[in-house]
Amino acid sequence: MSSEYRGVDFYAIDDLLTEEQRLVRDTVRDFVSEQVCPIIAEHARAGTFPHDLTPKMGEINVFGANLPEEYGCAGLDNISYGLIMQELERGDSGVRSFASVQGALVMYPIFKFGTEAQKRKWLPQLAKGSAIGCFGLTEPDHGSDPAGMTTRATRKGAGWVVHGNKMWITNGTLADVAVVWAQTEDGIQGFLLEKGMKGFSAPEMKGKLSLRASVTSELVMDHVEVPEENRLPNVKGLKGPLSCLTQARYGIAWGAVGAAQGVFDEAVNYAKSRIQFGKPIASFQLNQRKFADMVTEITKAQLVVWRLGKLKDDGKMTPQQVSLAKRNNVKIALDAARTCREILGANGILDEYTAMRHAANLESVHTYEGTYEIHTLVLGAAVTGIDAYR
Amino acid sequence: MNFVACVKRVPDTASKIRVGPDGRTMDPAGVTYVVNPYDEFAVEECLRLKEKVGGTVTVLTVGPADSSKELRHCLAMGADRAVLVKDDQLQRDPLSTAMALAEALKQIPHDVVFFGKQAVDHDNAQVGLLVATLLDLPAVAEVVKVELGSGTATVQREAEGKIEVFELPVPCVLTAQKGLNEPRYASLKGIMAAKSKKLDELAVAPGEVRIEVLKMEPPSARPEGKIVGEGAAAVPALVKLLREDAKVL
């Protein structure tokens, strides 16, 4: 199989990839060209998630692809995992977000902090896509400041009662299992809330102008009784959820590169065939400057995530390094999407083209999973040793 | 049963082909390669037949060392073993390729040898049938359906205005037409599993190349189109031109 789309590889970064990593990338690239690109604009317009994709993505093992095979996952290295996110986001940030949440925010904490029974119960179904998960950390009044969360879990008999509200939860309404973080007398802990538990509901949030092909929800927990066996026993404190976010942000940094490459490819093709003043608009210096800037930023972003992947595989990656990659790559992708929309002129505002959808999506990605500003301050603190926001 | 799918590495159909400086070969710069799409049908059908009746699927290619990537793709789809006949000759004709494959097949157990009906690079559509001839095996080209009986294969081929049904004994050679199946994606687990599958190199004496490419040049540019007008008012002029100039009406 082959697709017209080739990505951007100005610096022969392909040569840094193993044969297996290239195969992974090409497989997901073909999948996205054939299964995502033809249907995604319609879903974005309707504001619906393409449910048909879930089992198909499960079949080719994209969910939690860097987790071990014994739990039904693909057991890939982290660069392969990143390449999967890159290609998915070339299709749509909403599809990549779905996979990020499923893998990095649900499967990862169950794998890392769960009991063997929790892993056996959930990971294989989540890997297949026969179960869907979501991650509840953010609250209406606590976004960048998760430590202030008001959701509480209190002991009742042998189990727990979880009470509170979460907001901006990707996949919430669809989820069979929610990893919910709550304050306890022992600090913040994670609980697995299951669909159908009494007092637990997840209404969908409407009116989004971004990530329209993705479901975003509130989680409403009205004194939900949760058995002890649903508590994630192996972590306490904010480092639990924050370590999940590090995993997800790692994928986002890769995903943004995919969105940037996608819009760039579209704009180059458009500019070469769009004739004004008797010649292709690609021949105009103002557009060439835009392409030169974009190909430079995309190349830098590619090298950043490749190196980050190496560090992650070597067990040396720090959250601050992830902040740098997430902050930079989403910003350059957002800028590229806006620039490409501009190059496409009026056509750029149509959903027949991808630039405006990506630009709108990336507005969310720019501020979710740590806003641009918070990552700026993380880097500021890393450089100076002084926290600006505490 | 032993299924062998013979595959070829071809330039990605979306690649822009440029003629190299020697004027006789393709310029490989910037070209990416894939498994010939018709050969993917062959691999997929072998996998499906194996899933039905059991056995092994071997993929076989004659090509440069880099063809290992395309073989790994087939292993990731589910083939059990891959065999590479290394060949760096840039210009090979169908018969010499067929001779190399036939020699290799003498060392690979085979009940059904499947090819794509043609490779999309040179479009010769010869190799599968030449291999059948060299190995003295019955063959049907361009099949769209395959059923295996005991010692026989029943296959269908779409011909002009009809569907032909053939029965032939195994071992046999078949070539795949579009419509035979929808090839699966290589799963990511499949890619991991492919790492530990065997990719053997087989040295066979290649056949002699007897057809020489003298020249390769891009097709001449199409003459510019003519706009005769806009809307309904332009129809009479268009009809006149189609009738008198183009002589198609």
Side-chain angles (χ1 to χ4, degrees), chain A residues 133-140 165-175 200-206 208 214-220:
Chain A
C134 71
F135 178 86
L137 174 67
T138 298
E139 299 186 351
N165 287 304
K166 299 288 180 181
M167 205 170 183
W168 305 112
I169 309 304
T170 301
N171 300 351
T173 313
L174 309 173
F200 178 40
S201 61
E204 185 171 352
M205 295 169 64
K206 290 292 186 185
K208 282 183 300 167
S214 168
V215 171
T216 310
S217 316
E218 287 177 61
L219 301 183
V220 181

Side-chain angles (χ1 to χ4, degrees), chain A residues 149-194:
Chain A
M149 71 171 65
T150 57
T151 298
R152 283 204 70 86
T154 42
R155 285 188 182 277
K156 185 185 174 192
W160 297 81
V161 173
V162 179
H163 185 76
N165 287 304
K166 299 288 180 181
M167 205 170 183
W168 305 112
I169 309 304
T170 301
N171 300 351
T173 313
L174 309 173
D176 302 289
V177 60
V179 175
V180 170
W181 300 93
Q183 296 280 7
T184 70
E185 58 195 14
D186 260 350
I188 291 169
Q189 296 197 67
F191 297 86
L192 302 178
L193 269 65
E194 297 175 28

Side-chain angles (χ1 to χ4, degrees), chain B residues 9-219:
Chain B
R9 169 185 199 256
V10 297
D12 187 328
T13 45
S15 283
K16 227 192 173 95
I17 304 297
R18 279 180 303 265
V19 179
D22 64 357
R24 299 170 60 188
T25 51
M26 183 188 75
D27 178 1
V31 173
T32 54
Y33 294 87
V34 295
V35 177
N36 172 40
Y38 289 108
D39 299 344
E40 267 200 331
F41 298 135
V43 174
E44 176 66 31
E45 198 61 21
C46 287
L47 294 173
R48 290 185 190 193
L49 291 170
K50 175 197 152 174
E51 281 157 12
K52 248 185 239 164
V53 304
T56 61
V57 175
T58 303
V59 282
L60 167 64
T61 196
V62 174
D66 288 350
S67 309
S68 64
K69 173 172 175 273
E70 283 64 44
L71 290 176
R72 287 275 173 219
H73 171 80
C74 298
L75 291 173
M77 284 174 75
D80 301 291
R81 175 188 173 212
V83 178
L84 170 63
V85 176
K86 233 197 246 172
D87 174 40
D88 290 320
Q89 177 110 9
L90 283 175
Q91 298 199 9
R92 184 157 283 297
D93 59 16
L95 182 57
S96 67
T97 304
M99 288 163 78
L101 287 169
E103 281 307 308
L105 281 163
K106 285 178 188 163
Q107 301 177 46
I108 302 168
H110 54 273
D111 295 300
V112 175
V113 184
F114 233 120
F115 291 79
K117 70 159 180 160
Q118 68 196 75
V120 299
D121 51 358
H122 294 294
D123 287 320
N124 285 309
Q126 294 183 25
V127 172
L129 299 179
L130 287 170
V131 168
T133 306
L134 291 168
L135 294 177
D136 195 23
L137 292 176
V140 176
E142 303 184 16
V143 303
V144 292
K145 194 171 178 200
V146 181
E147 265 167 38
L148 293 176
S150 59
T152 60
T154 306
V155 302
Q156 289 187 11
R157 177 169 75 170
E158 281 173 1
E160 191 93 10
K162 58 180 187 275
I163 288 177
E164 297 174 332
V165 183
F166 300 95
E167 188 182 88
L168 62 171
V170 289
C172 65
V173 170
L174 301 171
T175 79
Q177 170 65 300
K178 190 176 176 166
L180 175 63
N181 53 46
E182 193 63 52
R184 69 196 64 187
Y185 294 99
S187 72
L188 305 182
K189 275 191 213 171
I191 292 171
M192 285 301 278
K195 278 207 298 193
S196 52
K197 288 180 183 171
K198 275 177 70 171
L199 198 162
D200 297 319
E201 283 185 24
L202 197 59
V204 299
E208 186 196 346
V209 176
R210 287 183 294 187
I211 298 177
E212 195 185 351
V213 177
L214 297 181
K215 202 158 87 173
M216 190 183 274
E217 55 188 15

Side-chain angles (χ1 to χ4, degrees), chain A residues 1-4 6 19-20 23-24 26-27 31 34-35 59-62 72-76 84, chain B residues 12-15 30 32 34-35 40 68-69 72-73 183-192 195:
Chain A
M1 256 171 270
S2 70
S3 60
E4 297 280 321
R6 281 294 166 55
E19 187 175 88
E20 170 197 328
L23 268 175
V24 167
D26 292 349
T27 295
F31 177 85
E34 291 160 11
Q35 306 286 336
E59 214 167 286
I60 63 165
N61 320 120
V62 307
C73 306
L76 295 175
I84 295 169
Chain B
D12 187 328
T13 45
S15 283
T32 54
V34 295
V35 177
E40 267 200 331
S68 64
K69 173 172 175 273
R72 287 275 173 219
H73 171 80
R184 69 196 64 187
Y185 294 99
S187 72
L188 305 182
K189 275 191 213 171
I191 292 171
M192 285 301 278
K195 278 207 298 193

